[in-house]
Amino acid sequence: MRNKRNGFYNWIGSLLVFIGIGAVAAGIGLVSEPNGSAIGMSVKLLEDSPFQSFWFPGIILFLINGLGSFFGAFLSFKRHELSGIVTIVLGIAMIIWISAQVYWMGLISWMQPVYLIFGIIEIIFGWAVRKEK
């Protein structure tokens, strides 16, 4: 079973690096231009949300989905015992993030369902790593 678990660690780490790169870039874009223009969005998308600008969502995106994913990837590549639980938590955070986006802004991009699926995959792979312990 060790080889199977190592495969999960590698998949988790790679997925989290991919998510982290996009989230850090988008988070920086939203914080630096809170009107959303840096990443091709408009504050009009926030009309039905509790936010007046993308600044706070950008901070959350940067910290949780960005830096959090890099931290999770680090743990995964190191085969750390907390890797599974951190990956599950990040998957739940991704699902909440995407669900909130769709609730407040609507389905505006093909990336939303893709990242929702990534969140589900994170939970499944994190669970698989935890289960093997």
Side-chain angles (χ1 to χ4, degrees):
M1 274 304 178
R2 181 134 174 93
N3 274 348
K4 187 175 183 180
R5 186 173 34 183
N6 283 339
F8 281 123
Y9 280 120
N10 291 334
W11 277 104
I12 290 168
S14 299
L15 178 61
L16 291 176
V17 165
F18 176 78
I19 291 169
I21 290 169
V24 164
I28 289 170
L30 293 174
V31 170
S32 67
E33 296 290 337
N35 65 2
S37 64
I39 63 169
M41 297 178 77
S42 167
V43 286
K44 285 188 167 219
L45 292 170
L46 299 176
E47 287 176 343
D48 295 327
S49 82
F51 307 106
Q52 302 298 315
S53 76
F54 286 104
W55 185 84
F56 186 73
I59 293 288
I60 299 303
L61 181 62
F62 176 82
L63 292 175
I64 296 174
N65 295 73
L67 297 183
S69 290
F70 285 139
F71 177 69
F74 173 79
L75 292 178
S76 185
F77 287 134
K78 291 288 188 180
R79 275 57 170 169
H80 194 279
E81 65 184 44
L82 292 177
S83 174
I85 194 70
V86 169
T87 302
I88 291 168
V89 169
L90 288 168
I92 292 168
M94 177 68 74
I95 290 169
I96 292 169
W97 177 262
I98 295 299
S99 298
Q101 258 188 22
V102 172
Y103 178 78
W104 283 319
M105 299 185 336
L107 186 61
I108 59 171
S109 170
W110 60 270
M111 291 192 308
Q112 290 166 312
V114 169
Y115 278 86
L116 180 70
I117 291 168
F118 285 167
I120 294 167
I121 291 170
E122 286 176 272
I123 292 170
I124 292 168
F125 282 7
W127 185 261
V129 168
R130 287 288 296 156
K131 187 176 161 198
E132 295 293 324
K133 298 260 180 217

